[in-house]
Amino acid sequence: MSASEKAKAKTEQTVGKVEKEVGRAVGNESIAAEGESKEAKGDLRAAKEKGKDALKN
């Protein structure tokens, strides 16, 4: 996994997780949903990079 893509994935996952929890804490479902979306995007980016690494080996 390239370092920059790995960092982007981890950042998206972390920001999404925080946003999701903040949205839930204040009762704002749109912020919570946006956070879930960002977290899922980070998960997909990480999975893509792991797949690329698996094909290289």
Side-chain angles (χ1 to χ4, degrees):
M1 195 186 292
S2 75
S4 65
E5 288 296 313
K6 184 177 182 180
K8 283 182 189 178
K10 192 53 93 174
T11 300
E12 286 175 336
Q13 291 168 332
T14 303
V15 168
K17 208 173 274 191
V18 169
E19 239 180 76
K20 179 175 69 175
E21 293 304 319
V22 168
R24 287 183 180 163
V26 298
N28 188 328
E29 288 301 313
S30 71
I31 292 175
E34 188 176 326
E36 283 186 46
S37 173
K38 285 182 184 178
E39 187 176 5
K41 185 177 176 184
D43 292 342
L44 288 172
R45 185 184 302 272
K48 177 188 80 168
E49 290 301 313
K50 285 181 184 177
K52 286 169 50 177
D53 284 347
L55 290 175
K56 288 181 183 177
N57 295 328

